[in-house]
Amino acid sequence: MNSQFYTTTVVKATAPSFSESGFFISPTQLNLIVTKLNCIEIYLINEYGLLLLSETELNGKIEIMKVFRPKNKNTDLVFVVTAEYNVMILEFIQASDKIEIITKGHCNVFDHFGVATESMAKIDPNAKIVMVKLFEHIFKIIPLDKEGELEVYSITTEEANIRDFSFLYGFINPTILIIHENSKGRNIKIKEIIVDFITCFEVISFLISH
């Protein structure tokens, strides 16, 4: 046998990485989306269990998946970030006898000066913006009301070692709560985002552990 040649078999991923439920195809039929590495599977949830409707492979490992619904829609959309920092907003359409996935928006959020950290993303309660945390000291903000090439804005933060963040409900402007850790312990900071100028103002800060 010539040692310069070999044969290999690629096996499709079977371990789920993310799952979300929502009304992706119809406003009356509940669906389940399951991601496996770079594959998106969409199921119909009914009284008999799960029925596989569609299986699609994306170009890249899926690192983040979030579900949201714009104000003018009666079905849900899916926000995806891949390991190559490609961002997609996906819509599922029933076309004759199959499910089609339409890419409504896309962009790349790679930062040449950023130091990679744990991937996190949160969508504000009004589905106006998504904040993505992929690099130390940097938030990427993407307005969700656009189609085609999406706009990406960077906000630099002084906080390092961010453990988690989340949007708060009931505010006129998108407002986030950040939990970060420093030598004094874990701290909470609340920041308001002025979308018109894509800037961030600190509202309150306090120590929660030491």
Side-chain angles (χ1 to χ4, degrees):
M1 178 179 174
N2 192 329
S3 61
Q4 294 181 350
F5 299 95
Y6 69 95
T7 301
T8 183
T9 301
V10 178
V11 179
K12 184 174 67 174
T14 57
S17 47
F18 302 100
S19 65
E20 293 275 3
S21 62
F23 297 89
F24 304 109
I25 300 170
S26 162
T28 59
Q29 292 183 320
L30 184 62
N31 302 116
L32 175 71
I33 286 184
V34 178
T35 66
K36 299 174 181 177
L37 196 64
N38 70 324
C39 181
I40 291 183
E41 298 174 350
I42 182 164
Y43 295 85
L44 174 66
I45 302 175
N46 57 30
E47 62 271 25
Y48 303 107
L50 298 176
L51 174 64
L52 180 62
L53 300 177
S54 174
E55 187 178 15
T56 305
E57 291 186 356
L58 300 183
N59 184 20
K61 177 188 174 186
I62 298 170
E63 290 285 346
I64 295 173
M65 182 179 72
K66 297 289 180 182
V67 172
F68 70 99
R69 182 177 297 190
K71 291 284 187 181
N72 60 342
K73 295 282 293 183
N74 60 4
T75 54
D76 297 317
L77 304 181
V78 179
F79 175 85
V80 169
V81 182
T82 70
E84 292 76 24
Y85 303 106
N86 291 314
V87 169
M88 290 163 274
I89 296 176
L90 305 177
E91 183 175 17
F92 295 81
I93 301 294
Q94 179 75 58
S96 61
D97 61 341
K98 65 177 182 178
I99 307 298
E100 290 186 359
I101 297 183
I102 297 174
T103 303
K104 295 184 68 66
H106 60 88
C107 63
N108 188 281
V109 289
F110 178 72
D111 195 294
H112 293 278
F113 303 101
V115 177
T117 61
E118 180 185 357
S119 301
M120 294 184 282
K122 300 294 171 67
I123 296 174
D124 86 284
N126 296 316
K128 290 182 178 179
I129 62 172
V130 57
M131 288 191 67
V132 183
K133 181 75 168 62
L134 301 168
F135 305 98
E136 196 72 71
H137 295 290
I138 299 172
F139 279 113
K140 298 291 184 177
I141 296 182
I142 305 170
L144 294 172
D145 58 350
K146 308 291 184 182
E147 294 190 6
E149 185 72 26
L150 299 173
E151 297 175 337
V152 183
Y153 301 90
S154 294
I155 289 181
T156 302
T157 64
E158 63 180 14
E159 298 82 26
N161 200 15
I162 292 177
R163 296 296 185 176
D164 199 5
F165 69 96
S166 182
F167 281 96
L168 302 178
Y169 286 78
F171 291 84
I172 296 175
N173 291 314
T175 302
I176 58 168
L177 181 148
I178 298 173
I179 300 176
H180 71 100
E181 189 169 5
N182 56 25
S183 58
K184 297 180 181 180
R186 291 196 176 185
N187 300 264
I188 283 180
K189 285 191 176 181
I190 296 175
K191 295 175 180 279
E192 182 183 28
I193 301 166
I194 309 301
V195 178
D196 293 343
F197 303 99
I198 308 295
T199 188
C200 191
F201 295 96
E202 185 173 317
V203 178
I204 191 171
S205 174
F206 55 92
L207 181 70
I208 59 173
S209 70
H210 57 82

